[in-house]
Amino acid sequence: MKLLVILLFSGLITGCRGNSSHSLPPKLLLVSFDGFRADYLQNYEFPHLQNFIKEGVLVEHVKNVFITKTFPNHYSIVTGLYEESHGIVANSMYDVITKKHFSDLDDKDPFWWNEAVPIWVTNQLQENRSSAAAMWPGTDVPIHNTTPSYFMNYSSSVSFEERLNNITTWLINSNPPVTFATLYWEEPDASGHKYGPEDKENMYRVLKEIDDLIGELVHKLKVLGLWENLNVIITSDHGMTQCSKDRLINLDRCIDNSSYALIDLTPVAAVLPKINTTEVYNKLKVCSPHMNVYLKEDIPARFHYQHNNRIQPIILVADEGWTIVLNKSLPKLGDHGYDNSLSSMHPFLAAHGPAFHKGYKHNTINSVDIYPMMCHILGLKPHPNNGTFGHTKCLLVDQWCINLPEAVGIVIGALLVLTTLTGLIIIMQNRLSVPRPFSRLQLQEDDDDPLIE
Ligand SMILES: *[C@@H]1O[C@H](CO)[C@@H](O)[C@H](O)[C@H]1NC(C)=O
Ligand SMILES: *[C@@H]1O[C@H](CO)[C@@H](O)[C@H](O)[C@H]1NC(C)=O
Ligand SMILES: *[C@@H]1O[C@H](CO)[C@@H](O)[C@H](O)[C@H]1NC(C)=O
Ligand SMILES: *[C@@H]1O[C@H](CO)[C@@H](O)[C@H](O)[C@H]1NC(C)=O
Ligand SMILES: *[C@@H]1O[C@H](CO)[C@@H](O)[C@H](O)[C@H]1NC(C)=O
Ligand SMILES: *[C@@H]1O[C@H](CO)[C@@H](O)[C@H](O)[C@H]1NC(C)=O
Ligand SMILES: *[C@@H]1O[C@H](CO)[C@@H](O)[C@H](O)[C@H]1NC(C)=O
Ligand SMILES: *[C@@H]1O[C@H](CO)[C@@H](O)[C@H](O)[C@H]1NC(C)=O
Ligand SMILES: [Zn+2]
């Protein structure tokens, strides 16, 4: 019965939306606040963000991809692919075949990005649609010869206000209309590194600033009349954990630095041995009880981090809160990049707009599930990806879903009703069979039946 009602209702809603969407194509703004650890939401106050969630949806934990670094995770969000499949496997990379280097300061060669097709490119290949970006890793690179129609070259010195002003101007004024847009902000990542997430006082101040920026964002969208029709996703790439000078792994104490090249250092080191891989592996293997050392072919399957030339022959994965160094002191009080099953590495996701339910909370999705959801909202055919659209159905008004607790409830309810009914029937039968005066007679009649036939 309930299901029927839901079905009818969602049918009605889709009907109405179908009608109005002739004039207004669905639009989506994807926002990332870098390094927004999921449990900041529980441990600090976010009045503006909570208002946003109250009228929208919240996913409390987003399981991101390994390694839990900025460039790889931002590219997974917009492609739905694990790092081994989209090719941005770290913030610092080296390709042995072409001998090219990649770093967050030298990232403009499309070679690195072309193993995947990000959603802003797909969106732009549709007739009458364009994409815009107020930064996001990759948006200032001509991936498959295409940049967003409107974008900014990456620069950390451009204020949030300028990014917001320009992206909203593009959302309003462009022809063909901008239907997919991104907005990126460096905090709270920068402060998380500097102070460490356990510095409550400084993190309180920084996170209050973030909340005020979200307040500005919502206010601006309302003033410009974008609020009701624009879908907005606010999410992040990874979390943050506390590091300490008492938790250092010094590679120089274990191995001569001339026997290998370090492509990336911490908390996941990418090691390219110069001559003898086995020798380097054996030395690193016994270097510290606080890191795992893997030959490329032995990297655990759950990381989905193996099948790409840009993944080096040996990787070292530090335990949570440990820092790999080269005979140096602690570089940062907070860091990320660790095992993606650690909840400290997870970001959250909140969303608001005509595509989303209002006031719905969901426990978890994977970051690769965001891509098929965004394609669905924009009416785009997704490229092959590692996400599951079904995981996000409960967030969307035009889908119906039963979440697990509800399903269990329904099954238990149904069982209860059934057992009660069966019980009642048995009791009734017993009560009826005892005093019924003609039961014997009836039995006899039954016995006669075969004879009649
Ligand atoms: C649906 O379209 C018709 C004809 O264009 C219009 O009159 C009506 O108001 C629309 N309904 C909604 C809910 O948008
Ligand atoms: C694209 O826009 C033009 C001009 O507004 C319109 O004539 C055309 O039908 C549109 N095409 C699609 C596929 O919406
Ligand atoms: C980005 O930088 C390049 C090279 O400096 C320049 O040619 C281009 O015009 C810039 N693009 C934008 C949108 O600012
Ligand atoms: C934002 O838009 C203003 C006005 O068009 C322009 O002058 C400025 O260069 C833009 N900012 C960036 C970072 O592109
Ligand atoms: C190796 O260590 C020596 C001594 O600390 C240092 O001078 C040199 O720069 C290091 N080489 C590399 C490649 O890091
Ligand atoms: C590499 O080092 C291992 C262990 O020291 C040794 O057994 C092996 O022979 C070496 N291989 C080569 C090709 O030198
Ligand atoms: C590492 O530091 C120690 C003490 O500070 C020093 O004796 C040693 O030579 C250094 N090793 C390298 C490879 O830099
Ligand atoms: C992820 O998706 C890509 C593209 O469909 C596929 O090639 C790859 O095998 C998938 N990875 C996993 C672990 O399923
Ligand atoms: Zn980041």
Side-chain angles (χ1 to χ4, degrees), residues 46 83 120 126 131 151 199 231 262 274 280 284 333 365 437:
F46 294 90
E83 294 170 20
W120 61 80
Q126 302 283 307
S131 305
F151 71 96
D199 183 339
N231 295 295
L262 255 189
K274 290 216 171 120
V280 172
L284 289 169
L333 277 171
I365 61 170

Side-chain angles (χ1 to χ4, degrees), residues 34-35 69-70 74 184 189 237-238 336:
D34 198 311
K69 289 273 194 176
T70 300
H74 276 102
Y184 168 81
D189 181 74
D237 49 352
H238 53 72
H336 55 87

Side-chain angles (χ1 to χ4, degrees), residues 108 140 150-154:
K108 292 233 179 175
D140 54 1
Y150 310 91
F151 71 96
M152 298 171 182
N153 282 316
Y154 179 71

Side-chain angles (χ1 to χ4, degrees), residues 116-357:
V117 183
I119 189 168
W120 61 80
V121 172
T122 307
N123 184 56
Q124 209 145 272
L125 297 177
Q126 302 283 307
E127 203 175 339
N128 289 352
R129 289 182 182 192
S130 53
S131 305
M135 304 188 200
W136 189 282
T139 51
D140 54 1
V141 181
I143 302 172
H144 299 286
N145 297 316
T146 310
T147 60
S149 298
Y150 310 91
F151 71 96
M152 298 171 182
N153 282 316
Y154 179 71
S155 162
S156 59
S157 59
V158 177
S159 70
F160 184 83
E161 198 181 14
E162 187 172 346
R163 299 181 200 193
L164 179 59
N165 276 339
N166 290 24
I167 201 73
T168 49
T169 304
W170 289 329
L171 273 163
I172 290 174
N173 288 336
S174 313
N175 193 16
V178 168
T179 52
F180 177 77
T182 63
L183 173 59
Y184 168 81
W185 185 239
E186 286 82 357
E187 289 283 17
D189 181 74
S191 298
H193 283 301
K194 186 173 170 192
Y195 303 114
E198 283 170 13
D199 183 339
K200 289 269 157 25
E201 203 174 310
N202 275 305
M203 290 316 291
Y204 176 87
R205 180 178 52 75
V206 171
L207 293 171
K208 184 176 182 313
E209 282 167 18
I210 301 283
D211 189 58
D212 289 341
L213 296 181
I214 292 172
E216 266 179 47
L217 166 72
V218 171
H219 179 71
K220 180 114 198 162
L221 295 178
K222 284 182 176 168
V223 167
L224 295 173
L226 282 167
W227 178 245
E228 292 303 328
N229 288 315
L230 182 66
N231 295 295
V232 181
I233 294 174
I234 300 178
T235 188
S236 183
D237 49 352
H238 53 72
M240 188 68 69
T241 198
Q242 191 72 28
C243 297
S244 161
K245 64 176 167 47
D246 302 323
R247 294 194 294 267
L248 297 180
I249 300 162
N250 182 357
L251 298 187
D252 279 347
R253 270 188 24 198
C254 310
I255 184 168
D256 186 340
N257 71 4
S258 65
S259 63
Y260 66 95
L262 255 189
I263 310 304
D264 203 1
L265 180 57
T266 190
V268 178
V271 175
L272 177 57
K274 290 216 171 120
I275 299 158
N276 190 324
T277 299
T278 313
E279 213 170 273
V280 172
Y281 172 77
N282 287 342
K283 284 186 176 156
L284 289 169
K285 183 84 188 149
V286 294
C287 188
S288 164
H290 303 292
M291 73 176 179
N292 285 303
V293 179
Y294 300 111
L295 287 169
K296 181 172 179 175
E297 53 269 29
D298 299 330
I299 297 172
R302 67 185 178 88
F303 287 147
H304 304 298
Y305 194 80
Q306 187 173 46
H307 303 292
N308 196 294
N309 287 333
R310 300 164 187 179
I311 295 166
Q312 300 304 328
I314 299 174
I315 67 164
L316 321 176
V317 184
D319 289 351
E320 183 175 12
W322 286 78
T323 304
I324 302 173
V325 295
L326 288 175
N327 215 13
K328 280 199 200 113
S329 52
L330 181 71
K332 296 167 181 172
L333 277 171
D335 210 357
H336 55 87
Y338 301 94
D339 190 334
N340 62 330
S341 66
L342 295 165
S343 68
S344 62
M345 291 298 106
H346 296 166
F348 76 106
L349 179 145
H352 177 279
F356 296 101
H357 282 298

Side-chain angles (χ1 to χ4, degrees), residues 337-408:
Y338 301 94
D339 190 334
N340 62 330
S341 66
L342 295 165
S343 68
S344 62
M345 291 298 106
H346 296 166
F348 76 106
L349 179 145
H352 177 279
F356 296 101
H357 282 298
K358 297 206 181 302
Y360 180 77
K361 274 193 188 166
H362 198 71
N363 192 258
T364 187
I365 61 170
N366 303 311
S367 61
V368 290
D369 299 330
I370 299 172
Y371 170 78
M373 177 179 79
M374 294 194 298
C375 287
H376 173 81
I377 291 171
L378 292 170
L380 302 174
K381 185 172 177 289
H383 282 266
N385 64 83
N386 305 120
T388 303
F389 176 60
H391 292 167
T392 60
K393 276 187 174 176
C394 291
L395 309 178
L396 300 169
V397 290
D398 68 354
Q399 301 293 309
W400 67 279
C401 80
I402 312 170
N403 52 26
L404 191 62
E406 219 172 276
V408 170

